[in-house]
Amino acid sequence: MILDSPPIGILWRYSASIEVYPPQAESSIERREMKLTDISNDINEWFGGSGPMSDIVISSRIRLARNIAGYKFLSHCSTSEKSEILNKLKDVLMSLDLGDKVFYISVDKAPTLNRHLLVERHLISHNHAFGKGPRGAVIAQREFFTAMINEEDHLRLQVLKAGCQLFQCLEQINNIDDTVEQKVDYAFSPRYGYLTACPTNLGTAIRVSVMLHLPALKMTGQIEKFLRATRDMSLAVRGLFGEGTEAASDFYQLSNQVTLGISEKDIVSQFENSIIPEIVEYENAARKRLLSEDADLLNDKISRAMALLRGAHLISSQEALYLLSHLRLGLNMHEHMGASTPAIDRLSRLSDADGKGSLSIATINRLFLLTLPAHLQLNYGKPLDSTHRDALRAQIIRSALNG
Amino acid sequence: MQCQICKKNDATIHLTEITDGNREEMHICEQCAVEQGIAVKSHIPINELLGGLLAAQPSDDDLSGQPGQQVQCPCCGITLAQFRKEAVLGCPYDYEVFEKSLLPLIKKAHSGKTTHSGKLPSKTPKDTKKQVELFNLRKQLEAAVQSEDYELAAKLRDKINKMES
């Protein structure tokens, strides 16, 4: 498969010296339509591989659902009412002081590929990307904050951070919510709390989620136990891309279901103080068990992943996710547990894509994101069919892992 | 409860099958369910869950005792049947209009809880009466714009702005 020379080199030569966001006049930055190529060739903060417990907890996210008082819920709003809500909320949100530049995207008018990109980066939900009617998203440049306007509710605020940082997410989203509330009246009932289009979100209307990487639980056949336990705790488990997606490649998104009768702080405390530490402990125990009792299995998975990723010329996104997950496991075991097995040693001796030092978690995380279909195509500059995508994906991965 | 098939594991799947009016119950473990070809979904999408809960609810007719007379929200015009189909409500006022029917569902979705605990808006929200008035004014406004009666539309717009400020 021969591809026109793609601009992949740029991705890997990217360094702090390259200005991804060229400085412009303050006013034009604030309100210009976001260019997605600004972000598509770089990794975002929350997937950057840092943050507390980030070897297992990839990211923490909190969403709040809000509706404006005096309007019907979206499914019963006319197009003009939807536009009115959109304009009203857009103005409020664009004037927020987040300590970061803020972009606005007209989601309903955006090209399909751009919408996919926003979903791949977890900036908007699939429903928002491919829903109906006037809708938009306000996004902070560093991607820690998004406001989806006219998703299922009038407003869905989202704060995302790397690693286990739910309390920090809560504090920030709470402040943002307070500021928004100064300017609009929310639909609220003293008995039922914040009123939402779907009664399952009623009350605090908070959705607390963590993205977990649990490859050792999967390898040791304990993932079903984990899934059962989460169900018993009334938690929802979803895949990498939210509702309806399969748990892809050892990544699991865990979130609360109950939103009424329990405070925001208590929900977050449950996650931070019991749910997350427990799961992290299980995953770590499984990793230790792999080392002490099942080193062959571990070596086999990591070696195969290395061989395939460094040698393949066509690779699907599912396969890439699956294999990269094993490299992520190996590197994290090396870094956090000082693990040393033949496969882990070989993996940690690979040199990094930037030529400096050895292969880093950041590089692996970046590969996860940049090899997703919309990222591939936007960085390539035009749509590609799936065979060409598989070829380009394999090429990017090979060049990153062969130093 | 023990699995009826392997008689070893705990039964975690409980099936009720009704064929020709005969009710048959089955209690089995996940492993046997997979072997029997019974699809086990470990992740139930929220809408499906909701659909299941809603289907088990008494209908409007059961509640009002007047067959054929569907309760309709005076604000958004939604009926319970519509909500069951779409799984989303039409307006905030529905929580009052359909409170009786929604309560069991709310209870089930939120582990038995029915009263909010947590953040309160710093401003007192507009009372329901005022909210309903706003709904109606917006409805009139839309009709005015559609019939190109801009004078009326401007008046209504002023009234809405005044109420909102």
Side-chain angles (χ1 to χ4, degrees):
Chain A
M1 182 86 27
I2 297 163
L3 291 155
D4 317 338
S5 92
I8 317 166
I10 297 167
L11 302 182
W12 297 103
R13 279 199 303 274
Y14 169 74
S15 71
S17 65
I18 298 173
E19 280 283 344
V20 179
Y21 312 111
Q24 295 184 15
E26 206 52 33
S27 59
S28 69
I29 289 173
E30 300 268 315
R31 289 201 174 249
R32 78 181 158 106
E33 283 276 316
M34 185 177 196
K35 272 186 20 226
L36 286 177
T37 41
D38 284 358
I39 58 167
S40 65
N41 70 349
D42 194 30
I43 198 155
N44 43 23
E45 249 179 23
W46 63 264
F47 211 161
S50 56
M53 294 193 239
S54 63
D55 54 330
I56 293 170
V57 187
I58 307 246
S59 62
S60 305
R61 183 183 79 187
I62 293 188
R63 269 189 195 162
L64 294 178
R66 298 287 186 255
N67 288 283
I68 310 180
Y71 284 94
K72 283 175 271 187
F73 291 138
L74 276 174
S75 58
H76 285 75
C77 280
S78 63
T79 307
S80 63
E81 278 172 315
K82 283 184 191 171
S83 300
E84 203 178 308
I85 294 165
L86 178 63
N87 291 332
K88 193 178 219 155
L89 286 173
K90 179 183 161 188
D91 284 346
V92 172
L93 289 154
M94 290 300 284
S95 66
L96 284 179
D97 180 14
L98 295 167
D100 193 15
K101 284 163 198 153
V102 177
F103 293 99
Y104 175 75
I105 294 174
S106 306
V107 176
D108 51 329
K109 296 185 191 103
T112 313
L113 209 49
N114 294 14
R115 296 187 211 182
H116 277 295
L117 181 96
L118 295 172
V119 176
E120 284 179 0
R121 292 180 88 84
H122 291 207
L123 292 171
I124 64 173
S125 67
H126 191 271
N127 286 345
H128 195 231
F130 301 100
K132 277 192 221 144
R135 60 199 189 282
V138 174
I139 299 171
Q141 193 169 45
R142 282 184 284 129
E143 300 177 46
F144 61 86
F145 169 75
T146 313
M148 288 183 270
I149 307 173
N150 291 353
E151 204 238 25
E152 185 180 281
D153 294 296
H154 298 156
L155 178 62
R156 292 231 167 141
L157 300 168
Q158 161 177 309
V159 168
L160 243 175
K161 290 184 190 291
C164 182
Q165 296 199 63
L166 285 173
F167 276 118
Q168 290 86 337
C169 287
L170 181 63
E171 195 189 334
Q172 188 164 26
I173 204 161
N174 211 8
N175 290 337
I176 293 170
D177 184 48
D178 286 347
T179 319
V180 175
E181 199 220 309
Q182 298 299 314
K183 296 179 182 161
V184 292
D185 285 328
Y186 288 145
F188 182 87
S189 122
R191 170 153 192 201
Y192 295 121
Y194 293 94
L195 301 174
T196 50
C198 182
T200 51
N201 299 322
L202 200 58
T204 53
I206 196 173
R207 192 71 69 216
V208 173
S209 318
V210 280
M211 181 70 69
L212 304 164
H213 186 218
L214 307 173
L217 283 178
K218 185 101 156 268
M219 256 184 230
T220 54
Q222 297 176 85
I223 205 73
E224 270 304 316
K225 232 196 280 175
F226 154 77
L227 292 174
R228 265 201 302 275
T230 57
R231 254 172 295 164
D232 292 345
M233 289 186 283
S234 304
L235 298 171
V237 183
R238 303 192 177 96
L240 193 52
F241 299 107
E243 210 161 306
T245 64
E246 291 290 303
S249 160
D250 312 335
F251 291 101
Y252 297 87
Q253 185 182 300
L254 199 61
S255 39
N256 68 304
Q257 305 235 64
V258 175
T259 53
L260 183 67
I262 174 166
S263 73
E264 294 86 348
K265 214 175 139 212
D266 286 347
I267 295 173
V268 168
S269 297
Q270 274 181 1
F271 269 85
E272 284 259 359
N273 300 333
S274 69
I275 298 166
I276 297 172
E278 237 170 84
I279 295 168
V280 166
E281 202 185 307
Y282 278 132
E283 170 67 18
N284 274 327
R287 290 181 185 192
K288 282 186 192 131
R289 215 176 84 187
L290 279 174
L291 272 181
S292 62
E293 291 168 28
D294 244 335
D296 284 342
L297 177 67
L298 181 68
N299 280 319
D300 184 65
K301 293 274 189 200
I302 295 172
S303 292
R304 277 171 189 270
M306 269 167 77
L308 283 170
L309 290 167
R310 298 179 80 194
H313 280 253
L314 286 175
I315 195 163
S316 71
S317 60
Q318 273 297 322
E319 191 183 6
L321 276 172
Y322 175 78
L323 296 171
L324 284 168
S325 161
H326 294 155
L327 296 197
R328 194 177 190 278
L329 172 69
L331 283 183
N332 271 324
M333 286 178 75
H334 174 72
E335 209 168 285
H336 293 265
M337 300 164 61
S340 168
T341 71
I344 289 178
D345 293 348
R346 256 184 296 129
L347 174 66
S348 58
R349 276 199 304 269
L350 289 184
S351 55
D352 212 16
D354 61 7
K356 293 177 224 147
S358 56
L359 184 62
S360 64
I361 294 283
T363 296
I364 300 292
N365 286 344
R366 177 180 275 197
L367 282 176
F368 273 119
L369 210 56
L370 296 184
T371 58
L372 291 170
H375 275 79
L376 274 184
Q377 297 173 77
L378 275 170
N379 284 332
Y380 186 68
K382 61 180 185 196
L384 293 166
D385 63 27
S386 81
T387 317
H388 281 85
R389 287 206 297 273
D390 290 355
L392 181 57
R393 180 177 298 115
Q395 194 179 335
I396 291 175
I397 294 173
R398 278 201 322 275
S399 83
L401 297 181
N402 288 314
Chain B
M1 193 182 292
Q2 218 177 39
C3 169
Q4 288 177 343
I5 295 174
C6 66
K7 307 227 172 355
K8 267 190 276 174
N9 301 336
D10 274 353
T12 49
I13 293 159
H14 311 280
L15 295 167
T16 310
E17 210 176 327
I18 300 171
T19 12
D20 300 324
N22 291 324
R23 199 182 156 95
E24 221 184 295
E25 281 189 8
M26 237 170 119
H27 308 280
I28 53 176
C29 67
E30 272 188 36
Q31 213 177 334
C32 291
V34 173
E35 278 167 16
Q36 295 287 308
I38 298 163
V40 181
K41 278 198 192 164
S42 34
H43 324 294
I44 305 171
I46 198 95
N47 281 347
E48 223 171 276
L49 190 72
L50 190 64
L53 291 173
L54 291 169
Q57 296 268 312
S59 71
D60 311 349
D61 293 350
D62 296 344
L63 289 171
S64 64
Q66 294 168 293
Q69 286 213 352
Q70 292 227 323
V71 185
Q72 208 177 17
C73 169
C75 267
C76 63
I78 193 182
T79 62
L80 263 184
Q82 232 174 314
F83 167 61
R84 271 191 204 113
K85 221 170 91 194
E86 294 164 16
V88 283
L89 292 164
C91 72
Y93 191 43
D94 290 344
Y95 282 105
E96 262 175 63
V97 179
F98 304 120
E99 185 164 22
K100 247 197 213 141
S101 313
L102 289 176
L103 209 55
L105 163 76
I106 290 170
K107 234 178 178 166
K108 213 159 182 175
H110 299 286
S111 297
K113 314 245 180 51
T114 54
T115 315
H116 175 57
S117 138
K119 190 169 180 175
L120 303 172
S122 59
K123 288 184 292 184
T124 354
K126 290 184 178 62
D127 58 44
T128 319
K129 203 178 134 220
K130 211 166 162 192
Q131 287 190 34
V132 174
E133 242 172 275
L134 271 170
F135 283 130
N136 290 333
L137 282 172
R138 287 217 167 85
K139 221 188 266 173
Q140 288 171 36
L141 173 66
E142 222 174 298
V145 172
Q146 246 162 37
S147 61
E148 297 181 12
D149 185 347
Y150 297 113
E151 205 176 318
L152 177 65
K155 266 186 206 155
L156 288 165
R157 163 77 48 212
D158 287 347
K159 216 166 160 184
I160 290 171
N161 286 343
K162 212 169 141 194
M163 269 184 79
E164 280 197 316
S165 61

